[in-house]
């Protein structure tokens, strides 16, 4: 599901917050979760997909993923892609 993706959990509970580093060429492949996500990209260059839409991502890009929607992200740049991933419980 993921290759070249490394995370450090910063907060657990109702909302889980993880600092993520995606190595050059790494990716979190397309999958679905029962919870939603908010991704705040901090640095690097990449692509994210949510449902049928794809986005170029870089520092300060925010991507939201509703629960149950297919999503992925990958590093397309020459250096690490970094982001904060927030797992949001269903309402």
């Amino acid at each position: 599901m993921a290759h070249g993706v490394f995370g450090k959990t910063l907060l657990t509970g109702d909302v889980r917050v993880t600092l993520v580093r995606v190595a050059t060429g790494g990716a979190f492949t397309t999958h679905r979760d029962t919870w939603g996500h908010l991704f705040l990209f901090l640095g690097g260059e990449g692509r994210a997909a949510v449902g049928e839409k794809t986005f170029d991502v870089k520092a300060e890009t925010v991507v939201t993923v509703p629960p149950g929607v297919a999503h992925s992200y990958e590093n397309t740049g020459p250096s690490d892609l970094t982001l904060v991933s927030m797992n949001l419980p269903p309402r």
Side-chain angles (χ1 to χ4, degrees), residues 19-30:
L19 179 61
V20 179
R21 178 177 65 84
V22 185
T24 302
F28 208 111
T29 58
T30 303

Side-chain angles (χ1 to χ4, degrees), residues 4-30:
V5 179
F6 308 92
K8 177 177 175 57
T9 301
L10 304 175
L11 178 69
T12 60
D14 288 342
V15 175
R16 181 180 179 136
V17 179
T18 306
L19 179 61
V20 179
R21 178 177 65 84
V22 185
T24 302
F28 208 111
T29 58
T30 303

Side-chain angles (χ1 to χ4, degrees), residues 23-47:
T24 302
F28 208 111
T29 58
T30 303
H31 64 286
R32 296 173 193 265
D33 297 305
T34 57
W35 55 86
H37 295 285
L38 187 143
F39 301 135
L40 170 60
F41 290 86
L42 303 173
E45 301 170 3
R47 297 268 306 154

